[in-house]
Amino acid sequence: MSKYLVTGGCGFIGSHLVNLLLAGGHTVRVLDDLSTGRRETISSGVELVVADVADRAALDTAMRDVDGCFHLAAIASVEQCTRDWAGSHRVNLTGTIAVFEAAAVRRIPVVYTSSAAVFGSASERPLRETTPATPISAYGADKLGCELHARVAGLVYDLPTAGIRPFNVYGPGQDPRSPYSGVISLFCGLVSEGKTLTINGDGQQVRDFIYVDDVARVFAAAMGGVSTDARIYCACTGHPTSVLELAKLISELSGVAPKIAFAEARRGDVRNSVGDPARARSELGFSASVDLRSGLRRTLEWMASERGAPVMAAARR
Ligand SMILES: NC(=O)c1ccc[n+]([C@@H]2O[C@H](COP(=O)([O-])OP(=O)(O)OC[C@H]3O[C@@H](n4cnc5c(N)ncnc54)[C@H](O)[C@@H]3O)[C@@H](O)[C@H]2O)c1
């Protein structure tokens, strides 16, 4: 059994990864500044270091005696990164370089988090690791920067890494009240409150929704695939779902027929974002195991339990 450091382990994806590692019998230490993450999401057996991921001294301490590092800490909101360009750069790119630097000293392998946002305006379908990255946001540009520095980490500092590009992640633990939440958690939250679903654009924009526990499994598998070649893996299902189809499915599962309103398309909104899971399948042995219908059911059930409301009949089916 191994001991791992998980940065951002109190966040949405990080907390699921921590649980997966614990279930596998590993020991986990978390470094998180609790800016969006919550202490309560991790169990009491997990050591928590409350610190900024760009703080090299804190990283040095947190990395002592670990066998590997999963780096997820980031400002995960594209909108917030747009508003605070330099501030988010400090966390998302400088923080990642600090993780690589601290890990290189001890030659601790790092699985770090990139994003499908690196694809930006790329129109290829499906999107592959080999598709040229053309980010269209400060967030996407910094995630691409993480990948470039991972390459440097391998070439210059001999540090083994693997980078994960999650597509649209959803599932229990994602805060539906956050304006930065993914579309699934926003829609599920609105439906359960009987509110109108507002779709930006015509609703035909296509996404690749992947359940959070599946993403956690890609991270865990990637620790076995680290190398100084700095391999990158898409964490996706390969299944396209339009936002309008998603709204209909959520309404069917919740047994509520919400009003659907259409608003202006968001500037820079990507039309098609569907990934190719082939590399993760062939090199990591990963394939997504939770289909959208089951994942949505679990998400709706979790939301109902959070509100103390009875689980809606349709969601239980
Ligand atoms: N949710 C998605 O759909 C998605 C898609 C692609 C990539 N990602 C990436 O996955 C990772 C996790 O995202 P998430 O959705 O769980 O977001 P999240 O906001 O729930 O988790 C991020 C965690 O990092 C912590 N953090 C933020 N700034 C920090 C700092 N300066 N120092 C230490 N900790 C800090 C937060 O407190 C939080 O616990 C991020 O790197 C994000 O960019 C997420």
Side-chain angles (χ1 to χ4, degrees), residues 78-276:
V78 175
E79 288 84 356
Q80 195 180 329
C81 294
T82 302
R83 273 204 309 276
D84 184 10
W85 191 359
S88 62
H89 173 78
R90 192 191 70 80
V91 176
N92 290 357
L93 186 52
T94 307
T96 300
I97 295 172
V99 167
F100 290 158
E101 210 175 31
V105 172
R106 296 172 179 75
R107 212 156 181 278
I108 291 167
V110 179
V111 176
Y112 68 95
T113 323
S114 179
S115 169
V118 300
F119 290 116
S121 57
S123 55
E124 203 171 300
R125 197 168 153 182
L127 295 162
R128 300 188 169 90
E129 291 83 355
T130 49
T131 303
T134 48
I136 52 171
S137 62
Y139 172 77
D142 278 336
K143 289 294 189 180
L144 182 58
C146 295
E147 296 183 1
L148 294 172
H149 280 276
R151 187 178 139 76
V152 171
L155 285 172
V156 181
Y157 301 96
D158 215 18
L159 179 73
T161 67
I164 308 298
R165 289 179 179 172
F167 277 60
N168 284 66
V169 189
Y170 72 98
Q174 203 171 26
D175 183 1
R177 289 168 300 264
S178 162
Y180 310 124
S181 230
V183 63
I184 288 194
S185 105
L186 289 177
F187 278 8
C188 287
L190 290 169
V191 163
S192 47
E193 288 168 16
K195 293 187 178 156
T196 301
L197 302 189
T198 302
I199 293 177
N200 293 101
D202 61 5
Q204 297 305 328
Q205 60 272 45
V206 166
R207 296 288 179 269
D208 187 327
F209 296 108
I210 179 161
Y211 190 67
V212 63
D213 285 340
D214 278 333
V215 175
R217 286 173 47 237
V218 185
F219 273 88
M223 190 51 88
V226 290
S227 75
T228 51
D229 294 339
R231 294 294 276 171
I232 289 159
Y233 298 96
C234 288
C236 60
T237 66
H239 298 300
T241 306
S242 76
V243 171
L244 195 56
E245 280 168 347
L246 174 73
K248 288 182 180 157
L249 189 52
I250 291 174
S251 98
E252 182 201 320
L253 288 170
S254 59
V256 177
K259 277 203 195 114
I260 296 182
F262 291 88
E264 215 173 297
R266 273 200 298 223
R267 199 162 144 228
D269 205 11
V270 174
R271 196 72 188 156
N272 286 311
S273 176
V274 181
D276 183 351

Side-chain angles (χ1 to χ4, degrees), residues 7-15 30-38 41 49-55 71-77 87 90-92 95 112-117 139 143 164-170 173-175 180 182 210 212 215 219:
T7 76
C10 293
F12 167 49
I13 302 174
S15 57
V30 165
L31 182 145
D32 200 299
D33 72 350
L34 303 177
S35 52
T36 58
R38 289 183 306 137
T41 58
V49 178
V50 180
D52 181 358
V53 73
D55 177 346
H71 170 49
L72 290 91
I75 296 177
S77 153
R90 192 191 70 80
V91 176
N92 290 357
Y112 68 95
T113 323
S114 179
S115 169
Y139 172 77
K143 289 294 189 180
I164 308 298
R165 289 179 179 172
F167 277 60
N168 284 66
V169 189
Y170 72 98
Q174 203 171 26
D175 183 1
Y180 310 124
I210 179 161
V212 63
V215 175
F219 273 88

